[in-house]
Amino acid sequence: MLAAVSAQSFAATEFQKDHPRRAEVNHRLDNQDKRIHQDVKEGKMSKAEAKNLHKEDHQIRKEEKSMASQNGGHITKLEQKTLNQQENGVSKQIGK
């Protein structure tokens, strides 16, 4: 019985993690993280600026997880649009 429950939990987790709208939002967050690190490495951004942008991205990721937890593991198209708009704001601050 425990094995069946574990298999179901694993399947639900895999579906949730790989949901296309969530994957797109999280891929963008990962990409922005890399861009921020690269800008710091190249001296285009201070560590303080990077810290603030990482904080903003962390809040977006936290919001995405919260939205998904309320929707059975996915986010709606409207939620995805909202998160993408927030990500666009952070993205515009990278590479200035």
Side-chain angles (χ1 to χ4, degrees):
M1 183 172 159
L2 182 60
V5 171
S6 294
Q8 288 175 348
S9 296
F10 177 75
T13 302
E14 285 302 305
F15 171 76
Q16 294 167 2
K17 183 180 100 183
D18 294 331
H19 187 272
R21 287 190 289 268
R22 288 191 73 189
E24 188 267 342
V25 167
N26 287 315
H27 176 73
R28 286 194 66 197
L29 288 168
D30 291 340
N31 186 48
Q32 287 184 175
D33 182 61
K34 290 174 187 169
R35 289 175 54 213
I36 293 166
H37 284 291
Q38 187 64 33
D39 278 4
V40 171
K41 184 178 177 182
E42 294 175 359
K44 295 179 184 177
M45 180 184 299
S46 72
K47 289 182 181 182
E49 291 170 317
K51 182 178 178 180
N52 287 333
L53 293 177
H54 283 303
K55 186 177 178 180
E56 288 183 50
D57 272 351
H58 178 73
Q59 286 300 116
I60 295 168
R61 190 176 303 271
K62 188 175 173 182
E63 186 174 354
E64 182 272 334
K65 286 180 182 182
S66 174
M67 289 173 171
S69 72
Q70 296 171 18
N71 292 313
H74 7 59
I75 58 173
T76 67
K77 288 181 181 183
L78 180 59
E79 290 169 334
Q80 179 187 24
K81 181 179 178 181
T82 300
L83 294 167
N84 277 326
Q85 288 173 339
Q86 292 173 10
E87 289 176 328
N88 290 345
V90 174
S91 183
K92 289 176 184 175
Q93 297 176 64
I94 304 170
K96 282 184 168 182

